[in-house]
Amino acid sequence: MRLPATAALALALFASSATAQAPDPADAAKAAEVWDGYIAALVARNGSAAAALVMPDTHAWYERMARLALRGSAEEVRSLDLMGRMTTLMFRARLPADTLERLSGRELFALAVDRGWVGSQLPRGFQLTRVDGARGFGTFQTPAGTSPELELMRRAPGGDGWRLNLMQVMNLGRDALQQVLQGMADQAGTDVDTALLGLLSQVVGRRLGPEIWQPLRP
C-alpha cells in the first residue's frame, strides 16, 4: 500500500552508528540488479515483474490480509498491526469480494502494483553495503547513513537468485506510519483507528464509515 510522503521520509530518520562495508563482488551485482528491477517495476506499475522479485512471505502476507478482508471480524482486524489494518481495510474499500476470493496472494500483490497502491516510496539513495552469499543476505544503508544496516535482500528459497525482503520494509513503514497517524489523532483529539479511516477516505476518494470494520463475507 502507498505510504504518505511523511511516513516515507521517516524511514530515513532512525539513528545508528552502523558502518558500511564493501559488498562481496560475486553476488553484489546480482543483488543490486534485483533492487533496481523492483524499483523500476514499481515506477512502471508492472505488477508481475515486481511480484517475481520479492520473497514469497510477501505473497503469503497479502493472501492472509485478503482472507481477513473477506471474513475477519472487527476484533480480528483491530488486533492487527497498523500495516495489516490499513491493508485489510483498503482491500475492503477497493476490491469486490469475488476478486479477493479468486486471486492468490502473489496476484493480489501484482494487482496492487499495477494500480499504483504499492508506491515507489523507498528512497532512491539506499546503498547496497554488503552481500553475504554464504549466509544468503544483503544489507543496505539509508541515503543519509543514519539508519542501521537493513537486511533488505535475501537469497530465495532453493537458491533461486536474490529477492527483496519486503516484509522488513513494511516493518519500518509500519513504525513510521504509526508516528504519523498518532500525530494526526492527537491533533484532532481522536484515536489512531479514526485517523486511519480519515486517511483511507482521502486515498479512496469517499468517506469510509465504521461499517468498513465488518467482513465482506459475514
Side-chain angles (χ1 to χ4, degrees):
M1 299 295 113
R2 184 184 298 276
L3 294 178
T6 310
L9 178 62
L11 296 180
L13 300 181
F14 295 85
S16 171
S17 59
T19 302
Q21 303 177 23
D24 296 337
D27 281 315
K30 294 178 181 178
E33 183 179 351
V34 169
W35 173 266
D36 291 342
Y38 178 74
I39 296 297
L42 293 187
V43 172
R45 296 192 177 185
N46 186 338
S48 61
L53 295 175
V54 300
M55 291 290 289
D57 60 353
T58 299
H59 307 151
W61 186 85
Y62 267 72
E63 188 154 335
R64 177 172 174 250
M65 295 307 105
R67 301 290 81 79
L68 286 168
L70 283 166
R71 304 191 184 279
S73 67
E75 292 74 19
E76 286 177 297
V77 176
R78 289 182 188 275
S79 72
L80 298 171
D81 65 29
L82 188 55
M83 196 65 73
R85 272 177 278 162
M86 181 174 70
T87 303
T88 300
L89 297 181
M90 187 71 77
F91 279 162
R92 288 178 177 174
R94 283 181 151 173
L95 293 174
D98 290 347
T99 299
L100 290 171
E101 289 175 329
R102 176 171 50 85
L103 298 184
S104 68
R106 178 171 180 148
E107 290 168 331
L108 283 166
F109 178 76
L111 177 66
V113 173
D114 287 341
R115 297 190 179 183
W117 302 346
V118 179
S120 53
Q121 69 267 10
L122 295 175
R124 301 301 180 84
F126 266 50
Q127 295 180 350
L128 181 65
T129 54
R130 184 159 53 103
V131 175
D132 189 324
R135 289 189 290 171
F137 71 86
T139 59
F140 285 75
Q141 188 77 47
T142 58
T146 56
S147 170
E149 287 184 313
L150 306 174
E151 190 180 302
L152 299 185
M153 197 69 66
R154 298 289 300 177
R155 191 181 294 282
D160 184 25
W162 293 92
R163 298 291 183 270
L164 181 65
N165 184 14
L166 194 59
M167 299 308 296
Q168 172 77 283
V169 179
M170 288 185 182
N171 288 338
L172 291 175
R174 175 201 60 206
D175 295 341
L177 186 59
Q178 177 72 44
Q179 295 178 23
V180 171
L181 287 176
Q182 188 63 61
M184 293 171 59
D186 292 345
Q187 186 174 18
T190 185
D191 57 34
V192 168
D193 279 343
T194 301
L196 175 60
L197 287 190
L199 176 63
L200 292 178
S201 295
Q202 295 178 35
V203 171
V204 302
R206 70 178 191 279
R207 181 182 176 278
L208 300 179
E211 68 278 358
I212 199 69
W213 294 102
Q214 301 305 316
L216 294 176
R217 297 285 199 219

